[in-house]
Amino acid sequence: MRNWIRESLTRVTMKRGKRVEVPPSKRLLYSMYVAMGSLVSLVALEIAHIAFLGAWNNEIFAAITALIGTISGVFLSQKA
């Protein structure tokens, strides 16, 4: 099984006409794993909140939005 997070965070540079791949650090990979897990759990919590209480929770949605912004920012800045 291929690790799509590692592949998408790997930088590709050209050095003397050769393609060089620079893998991400372990710290970045582990922090992305934690962020993705937190995002999944927050989405599940929001779905449970809607299903059982029948109401939307703005605080959970704000946390989901912040995590999505952080994750997409990491992916975009790592490629630049």
Side-chain angles (χ1 to χ4, degrees):
M1 186 169 130
R2 295 178 9 179
N3 189 345
W4 64 272
I5 295 176
R6 180 188 304 265
E7 289 177 3
S8 60
L9 290 175
T10 300
R11 288 187 198 180
V12 177
T13 59
M14 296 296 286
K15 193 174 267 189
R16 296 184 185 167
K18 293 183 182 178
R19 184 175 186 242
V20 178
E21 293 185 357
V22 180
S25 67
K26 295 272 188 195
R27 180 184 279 177
L28 178 62
L29 278 178
Y30 292 146
S31 64
M32 291 308 296
Y33 294 148
V34 169
M36 294 284 190
S38 299
L39 181 63
V40 168
S41 64
L42 281 173
V43 168
L45 182 64
E46 182 68 39
I47 290 171
H49 193 273
I50 291 171
F52 294 120
L53 297 178
W56 181 264
N57 191 332
N58 287 329
E59 288 82 13
I60 296 174
F61 183 70
I64 291 170
T65 305
L67 269 175
I68 289 174
T70 302
I71 291 169
S72 61
V74 166
F75 279 110
L76 289 175
S77 66
Q78 184 68 16
K79 286 294 184 176

